[in-house]
Amino acid sequence: MLRKVTVISIGMLVSALGCASTQSGQITRSPMTLMLETSESVESWQQTARGVSSSIPEYEISVEPSGRDTRAFNHIEISEQGTRVCFEPQVNYDYAGNLTGFTPLYCASIDESAPQQSLIEAVDQYQSRFIPFQSELTDSQYRAWILSHSSPDEPLCYSVYPGLFAVGSPQPVPVEENYMLACANAIEGDSSWPHADTALLAARLRTEAAMLSNQNGFIASAFRSIAVDNTLEGNVYGIALEGYTELMSRKHLQSEMTTIEALRRSDDSKLFYLSKLNALRLFYIASRAEDMSMERLQTIIRALSPREKWPNVHVDMRSMLQMRTCQMLASMPEMTPSLVEDCLPWLRTMVRTSDDFEMALRIIEQGIYGAKPDESPISSDVLSWLRFAPLFGELLDLRHVFGQRNAHHERFTPEERDILLGF
């Protein structure tokens, strides 16, 4: 478990990037939702969090009991050295999904004699450290500057990357791998306090770099270093690296199952760059499988699905991978209505040409006749899309023929049959 992460000093960075610092005594708060966890005095901290949210409308803070594995960040830690909380680094976007800047990793001590006010001050300081992204700097200049101001006392490069690799312009694999290794070397320090925890952060960076590498020795070294990270996130990194090594060993089915679990856990933890690596690997496995069952493909498609309230850039990337995986339906001998429904985002893209729309209708028809005894032949969402899709010309004729041909399937309800006949 992380015991202390040194607070980052960003005065020089703020000055260099042109960020206007907050005037003394002036506090500007932005809406923020924080879910913290703790293993000690849970009810007391929950009451403190409610007090913060009541007194500061911009801050919506909740506290949950720690699970079996403790998170490295957003965790209220109570030890012999005192009480502290470390807020996770964030990459920030506007509503359109454009990068606006980042909020570095920040740790603060909590005064247990005045926990509510102390927690408010900690969140205020965390917010005040936001650094706007400067578009006039090239990617390479930005990376170089961040690396030059990173150290075991100031693990700044961990706060910025690899998060930006998950959302920015695609970079060549050597660029990403070399950056993460350079960052790991810059922040690692020795294994003694207070640098023991930045050594764990360095191990995570090397794990992600290992999943871009084909050097067995380096991958084995990353395995050994991540094994000592007994936080929840460390466990996720370990599972992801395991899935990668299984793929390298041509254990494709085992790698598929491990990677699905790693993707679920990295999504849960919002480790977006790690999720990107897991999702790309899962798509690679699916697209090159010699035999792919309907059940396995559906599990993969659902695992690739983006989640609600994610930034648009992450939703777009995952939606693209999901839709490309759904293209495999065209060669599947079997289909179910639920699998068709899972691929509805892809079907919606197929109304441009008659050939594409005809293939979409064929897939839906396969699902109708592949329905299980306890399953409706067509989902309400798919039927609604067919009913209100922006069709024209020949596409309307194709839908009419489809409706007339399938309306008399014995398991359609009268209402569904009327809709199909009305096409």
Side-chain angles (χ1 to χ4, degrees):
M1 180 171 64
L2 294 185
R3 295 189 179 279
K4 177 177 174 61
V5 178
T6 308
V7 175
I8 300 170
S9 172
I10 61 172
M12 187 180 298
L13 180 62
V14 170
S15 174
L17 296 185
C19 174
S21 60
T22 304
Q23 296 179 2
S24 177
Q26 180 181 354
I27 299 175
T28 302
R29 296 185 173 109
S30 301
M32 173 172 282
T33 300
L34 281 173
M35 198 285 281
L36 307 176
E37 66 173 35
T38 186
S39 58
E40 305 286 343
S41 307
V42 176
E43 292 183 0
S44 176
W45 284 111
Q46 288 175 333
Q47 183 177 353
T48 298
R50 287 192 292 268
V52 172
S53 300
S54 297
S55 60
I56 309 295
E58 293 87 351
Y59 296 162
E60 183 180 340
I61 299 179
S62 60
V63 174
E64 300 292 338
S66 302
R68 184 184 64 180
D69 296 313
T70 301
R71 292 182 180 274
F73 305 127
N74 294 356
H75 175 73
I76 300 172
E77 181 189 351
I78 303 173
S79 67
E80 295 178 356
Q81 289 78 28
T83 301
R84 67 172 60 89
V85 61
C86 288
F87 300 112
E88 65 185 355
Q90 292 185 346
V91 180
N92 303 88
Y93 317 89
D94 60 20
Y95 286 108
N98 300 312
L99 176 67
T100 59
F102 66 91
T103 306
L105 166 68
Y106 176 68
C107 297
S109 297
I110 300 295
D111 182 357
E112 288 205 46
S113 66
Q116 181 172 316
Q117 182 59 33
S118 186
L119 187 56
I120 290 172
E121 292 172 357
V123 180
D124 285 344
Q125 288 296 316
Y126 177 49
Q127 280 211 342
S128 72
R129 298 161 70 81
F130 171 78
I131 300 173
F133 179 70
Q134 300 298 306
S135 58
E136 64 268 21
L137 297 179
T138 66
D139 289 346
S140 59
Q141 288 173 333
Y142 196 58
R143 287 192 298 271
W145 202 96
I146 293 294
L147 282 170
S148 69
H149 290 83
S150 298
S151 68
D153 291 320
E154 298 181 350
L156 188 58
C157 57
Y158 180 87
S159 297
V160 185
Y161 292 91
L164 286 183
F165 285 137
V167 301
S169 302
Q171 300 289 334
V173 168
V175 170
E176 297 186 8
E177 182 180 357
N178 290 337
Y179 175 88
M180 286 183 281
L181 291 177
C183 181
N185 292 337
I187 70 174
E188 183 170 30
D190 55 40
S191 58
S192 61
W193 186 90
H195 299 147
D197 304 316
T198 50
L200 293 184
L201 303 185
R204 296 179 187 182
L205 288 166
R206 291 196 179 100
T207 299
E208 289 173 319
M211 288 188 284
L212 300 173
S213 174
N214 58 4
Q215 299 180 27
N216 292 332
F218 175 49
I219 295 171
S221 174
F223 245 131
R224 289 191 295 270
S225 62
I226 200 63
V228 302
D229 185 343
N230 61 352
T231 64
L232 182 147
E233 294 90 345
N235 181 260
V236 177
Y237 278 94
I239 295 173
L241 186 55
E242 181 180 357
Y244 180 68
T245 57
E246 289 169 346
L247 179 62
M248 294 285 287
S249 301
R250 301 183 183 277
K251 300 177 181 178
H252 293 138
L253 182 57
Q254 186 61 43
S255 178
E256 178 184 318
M257 294 186 291
T258 304
T259 303
I260 288 173
E261 176 64 9
L263 180 58
R264 180 186 67 79
R265 294 195 181 197
S266 59
D267 285 351
D268 288 345
S269 301
K270 295 184 179 179
L271 299 169
F272 286 123
Y273 183 72
L274 185 61
S275 280
K276 178 181 179 180
L277 295 181
N278 287 329
L280 287 170
R281 186 179 317 115
L282 188 57
F283 170 72
Y284 176 89
I285 292 170
S287 62
R288 284 160 176 77
E290 295 182 358
D291 58 335
M292 177 61 67
S293 69
M294 179 180 60
E295 290 80 8
R296 286 171 56 198
L297 184 62
Q298 185 165 21
T299 299
I300 291 173
I301 289 169
R302 289 179 173 178
L304 290 171
S305 178
R307 300 192 182 185
E308 293 183 1
K309 298 183 179 179
W310 274 2
N312 289 344
V313 284
H314 299 303
V315 172
D316 292 345
M317 190 277 289
R318 290 287 285 275
S319 296
M320 180 270 293
L321 288 179
Q322 186 187 41
M323 287 191 287
R324 289 183 64 184
T325 306
C326 282
Q327 291 174 358
M328 301 176 196
L329 295 184
S331 60
M332 293 292 292
E334 299 176 318
M335 200 71 57
T336 64
S338 62
L339 182 52
V340 174
E341 183 178 18
D342 289 333
C343 285
L344 186 55
W346 172 59
L347 295 177
R348 289 193 179 104
T349 69
M350 301 177 67
V351 295
R352 295 188 297 270
T353 69
S354 58
D355 287 343
D356 287 344
F357 189 55
E358 193 169 18
M359 182 169 69
L361 293 176
R362 185 171 67 250
I363 289 171
I364 295 171
E365 189 167 356
Q366 284 179 272
I368 290 173
Y369 289 92
K372 300 175 182 177
D374 59 345
E375 189 177 21
S376 173
I378 191 169
S379 76
S380 58
D381 286 344
V382 172
L383 184 59
S384 178
W385 170 68
L386 279 177
R387 189 179 185 184
F388 299 110
L391 306 180
F392 54 89
E394 187 178 357
L395 304 186
L396 287 170
D397 295 336
L398 289 171
R399 185 182 66 172
H400 170 72
V401 172
F402 170 87
Q404 297 297 310
R405 185 171 64 246
N406 293 286
H408 298 288
H409 188 285
E410 59 183 11
R411 291 176 52 203
F412 278 130
T413 66
E415 293 79 8
E416 292 168 338
R417 187 171 293 111
D418 288 344
I419 291 173
L420 290 168
L421 289 173
F423 286 162

